[in-house]
Amino acid sequence: PTSTPGGKCVAIPDGPKLRFLDSTTGREINTFQAPPGDGRGQNFDAIAFSPDGTRLALLMEAWNRRRLYIIDLATGKQLSDSPVEAPGAMHY
């Protein structure tokens, strides 16, 4: 989970959705469906808001493949979708 700049809202992953809760009341304000990726279910690896609170960065993982998405929070539009190379698991 992460909070918006100023702490008014908290974003919490919940399966394929990201739930936005009011940090004072705990009431759900909104939900965001995770990007579909390549048709497989994706997990939230990391979530971060831009310092001005206008964009949301999502690091998503599916079957050991990661993608970084940038979302405009005012419009809900996906601004970027980039693969992220991550080191694989160590083998002995």
Side-chain angles (χ1 to χ4, degrees):
T2 189
S3 66
T4 56
K8 293 175 85 175
C9 178
V10 177
I12 300 173
D14 184 14
K17 294 186 281 187
L18 190 60
R19 296 174 57 212
F20 293 90
L21 307 177
D22 181 293
S23 60
T24 304
T25 66
R27 188 178 57 116
E28 188 171 295
I29 299 168
N30 204 345
T31 60
F32 174 78
Q33 188 70 31
D38 61 1
R40 304 178 200 175
Q42 296 194 93
N43 300 310
F44 292 93
D45 267 4
I47 308 160
F49 288 96
S50 63
D52 64 3
T54 61
R55 295 182 180 169
L56 180 66
L58 303 172
L59 181 62
M60 307 295 294
E61 183 272 334
W63 299 94
N64 215 18
R65 293 184 185 190
R66 289 171 181 82
R67 300 197 71 79
L68 176 65
Y69 298 94
I70 307 295
I71 309 296
D72 182 303
L73 290 172
T75 64
K77 183 178 179 181
Q78 184 174 301
L79 302 175
S80 177
D81 172 2
S82 306
V84 176
E85 295 296 324
M90 294 181 64
H91 298 282
Y92 296 95

